[in-house]
Amino acid sequence: MTASVSSGPAVPLKTLRRISELRDEVAGWRRDGDSVAIVPTMGALHEGHLELVRRARDCCARVITTIFVNPIQFNRQDDLSSYPRDEASDAAKLSALGVDLLFAPPVEEVYPKGYQTRVSVPDLSDCLCGAARPGHMEGVATVVAKLLLQSLPDRAYFGEKDYQQLLVVRRMVRDLDVPVRIEAVPTVREPDGLALSSRNLLLTPDQRARAPALFRVLRALAARLEGGEVPAAAILGEGRAELAAAGFEPIDYLELRSGDSLRPLERAEPPARLFAAAWLGPVRLIDNLEIGPARGLSPQRHG
Ligand code: PAF
């Protein structure tokens, strides 16, 4: 069953905090034969998140959005405490898009006292953000596995901005036989190219003016690599120097890797992808760009 986006004034969004309530709600939808999509988020919703919601809305009768600032995917306490939070404003945006349910559990509901289990996907997690932020990918895989098992949706939506996360989630779902289809949605950008991110809210005006250099450098490198220039290591070195000149310090990584396996590449052989993470003051920005003709990740059925 496909539902259309609701029109008219936004109504207060039904918000649940308990896993048992979420399960009861979904069970009722299932009895009515409705399909279910989930859009996991950590809140501070921007157009990128709303695009995930719209895609979900187009495909499934019922849409759940989750807001949970997952403590176990933060490797720095200051990053966790400064993460932007505004549930009331997020709920209004979701309600306007016709989301059926907001699931926003407290930390102790997700990780009760004595909680032990972690889900890890080592090969895909040990590089890029996984290397720069120890424990991050394991924290993501764990919470996404829990949210999927709590809601048992037909489809779950993730943005390509967090491309490594997307690959980790796909692999986790495949390895654990979770019966859900993972849908990838292209990165939404500001007109100047900056990838939308909740962290953009933390940029000062000066940092915001510098931030688009991240995508500009990725695009320039992609054009050179697509033109057959080698070796990638030398080209990436020049890219790092350009980022440093634009004010990024430190640069966690600027790398060319396979878009499937994340293995490092010496040249732009398909499916090659550029990955970058770098800091402007206290704000860490990430971005990535496919090399070559637009291919994107096609939807895959798992489980
Ligand atoms: O991308 C995010 O916002 C988070 O990593 C996710 C997928 C909601 C897990 O906490």
Side-chain angles (χ1 to χ4, degrees):
M1 176 176 165
T2 303
S4 57
V5 175
S6 64
S7 55
V11 289
L13 184 57
K14 181 163 191 173
T15 301
L16 299 180
R17 313 269 172 205
R18 303 278 160 230
I19 296 162
S20 56
E21 295 169 339
L22 171 68
R23 290 209 163 109
D24 288 349
E25 188 77 13
V26 173
W29 295 342
R30 292 299 191 190
R31 277 195 294 276
D32 293 342
D34 288 349
S35 56
V36 178
I38 190 171
V39 181
T41 81
M42 297 202 300
L45 301 181
H46 50 65
E47 257 313 302
H49 296 112
L50 302 185
E51 188 56 23
L52 303 181
V53 170
R54 286 187 199 99
R55 297 286 184 105
R57 188 78 275 187
D58 286 347
C59 287
C60 288
R62 300 290 187 172
V63 178
I64 305 166
T65 299
T66 67
I67 295 181
F68 180 64
V69 182
N70 176 32
I72 70 165
Q73 73 183 72
F74 287 80
N75 60 317
R76 290 167 52 143
Q77 185 55 42
D78 58 330
D79 193 20
L80 173 60
S81 43
S82 68
Y83 201 84
R85 292 164 168 88
D86 188 349
E87 189 183 301
S89 145
D90 289 343
K93 291 175 188 164
L94 296 172
S95 177
L97 285 181
V99 163
D100 296 278
L101 179 65
L102 170 60
F103 181 53
V107 172
E108 57 286 5
E109 180 74 1
V110 180
Y111 303 116
K113 197 167 179 305
Y115 183 85
Q116 289 281 316
T117 304
R118 301 283 169 135
V119 178
S120 78
V121 185
D123 280 2
L124 289 170
S125 299
D126 290 348
C127 57
L128 303 174
C129 284
R133 303 178 66 193
H136 171 67
M137 285 298 160
E138 190 178 85
V140 169
T142 301
V143 79
V144 172
K146 283 174 71 72
L147 291 168
L148 294 177
L149 293 171
Q150 289 159 7
S151 56
L152 294 176
D154 299 289
R155 300 183 191 221
Y157 288 76
F158 295 86
E160 286 187 352
K161 187 183 78 77
D162 297 296
Y163 195 87
Q164 184 180 16
Q165 162 175 290
L166 173 63
L167 293 184
V168 166
V169 166
R170 280 207 161 141
R171 189 57 194 239
M172 176 273 289
V173 157
R174 196 171 98 193
D175 288 354
L176 296 182
D177 308 309
V178 183
V180 64
R181 178 169 161 150
I182 301 298
E183 302 280 8
V185 178
T187 302
V188 179
R189 298 182 181 279
E190 298 282 6
D192 60 14
L194 177 64
L196 295 195
S197 163
S198 307
R199 292 172 200 276
N200 295 353
L201 292 171
L202 305 173
L203 295 167
T204 64
D206 175 62
Q207 290 161 352
R208 175 63 188 83
R210 292 168 185 273
L214 190 60
F215 186 55
R216 236 183 3 252
V217 167
L218 286 183
R219 273 212 313 220
L221 296 179
R224 292 175 66 183
L225 291 160
E226 276 162 18
E229 263 192 68
V230 284
I235 297 164
L236 293 170
E238 289 175 40
R240 271 182 219 107
E242 282 172 51
L243 286 179
F248 286 87
E249 162 66 30
I251 297 159
D252 279 353
Y253 57 79
L254 175 60
E255 295 182 19
L256 179 68
R257 289 181 176 261
S258 158
D260 285 345
S261 65
L262 295 185
R263 96 187 143 80
L265 297 177
E266 285 301 320
R267 57 181 65 242
E269 60 201 50
R273 210 165 182 107
L274 283 165
F275 295 88
W279 296 76
L280 282 172
V283 185
R284 184 174 185 273
L285 298 179
I286 66 171
D287 206 344
N288 68 84
L289 185 60
E290 186 179 30
I291 309 282
R295 275 180 291 272
L297 282 178
S298 53
Q300 293 170 12
R301 179 86 208 171
H302 299 296

